[in-house]
Amino acid sequence: MSDTRVHAHGGRLQMPRSRGAASGFLLILFGVWGALIPFVGPYFSFAFTPNREWIWTDARGWLEVLPGAATAVGGLLLAGSGNRATAMLGGWLTVLAGAWFVVGRALASPLRIADVGAPVAATETKGVWLELTYFSGLGAVIVFLGAVALGRLSVRTARDIAFAQRPVAAQPITEATTEGEPRHRPRAWMFGRRHTHAH
């Protein structure tokens, strides 16, 4: 006989994908910015030395590309996952990446990472903007967005419970013959077809 019972779709880790979508999208944008700005900034004289486009240095790799890529990956996990554990992993990844943007330059010397260079700025104001948009300010915004996302993910709302317990039709269970082989029940249209041929 067929089982007509209705089963819950997911467990406690299930959540709507929209829960981290907004934060995830913003974090992807900031991550891409952090990873690419050292290579494209020189086109607009908005850079740290060396003021040359698409030049790879160890400092750019460790202090800008690495945290930028980590932020983008974390944002993707937040934006696209319907699993709470996966989304929280993405949130923590962005928080750590943002913190590295903030403190990375200070730790570069003890860790023997090459210095990222000096800001290419004719005025003090431009130098401050470079520091904020490349490192400390960018990292602070990433940490904030990641923390907000983690805060939302840590709370299981009534909407999450309803989403996880939404009904999904169960697969039909077939009867078993005496030999142990599964046997499907004949469908109504088969009876009708046989009846037609009989006439």
Side-chain angles (χ1 to χ4, degrees), residues 40-56:
V40 300
Y43 284 113
F44 314 101
S45 297
F46 192 77
F48 285 75
T49 55
N51 188 21
R52 297 172 59 190
E53 307 86 358
W54 302 107
I55 296 297
W56 178 271

Side-chain angles (χ1 to χ4, degrees), residues 29-42 44-48 63-65 67-68 71 97-98 100-102 105 116 119-121 124-142:
L29 293 181
F30 284 120
V32 171
W33 167 275
L36 292 183
I37 190 60
F39 302 104
V40 300
F44 314 101
S45 297
F46 192 77
F48 285 75
L63 301 177
E64 296 170 277
V65 176
T71 300
W100 183 245
F101 268 122
V102 175
R105 292 186 68 191
V116 75
V120 180
E124 184 176 351
T125 301
K126 185 178 180 179
V128 171
W129 273 109
L130 283 166
E131 173 63 33
L132 290 175
T133 55
Y134 269 66
F135 296 105
S136 59
L138 176 63
V141 171
I142 292 173

Side-chain angles (χ1 to χ4, degrees), residues 129-198:
W129 273 109
L130 283 166
E131 173 63 33
L132 290 175
T133 55
Y134 269 66
F135 296 105
S136 59
L138 176 63
V141 171
I142 292 173
V143 169
F144 172 77
L145 290 174
V148 169
L150 287 172
R152 295 192 64 190
L153 293 171
S154 64
V155 178
R156 193 163 183 252
T157 65
R159 181 187 176 192
D160 294 336
I161 297 173
F163 179 83
Q165 295 179 349
R166 69 192 189 280
V168 176
Q171 294 293 331
I173 299 176
T174 59
E175 294 180 333
T177 64
T178 56
E179 292 83 6
E181 296 293 331
R183 183 183 66 191
H184 293 275
R185 298 184 65 185
R187 299 183 180 180
W189 67 269
M190 296 176 64
F191 287 111
R193 186 174 181 179
R194 290 177 183 175
H195 181 72
T196 302
H197 287 311

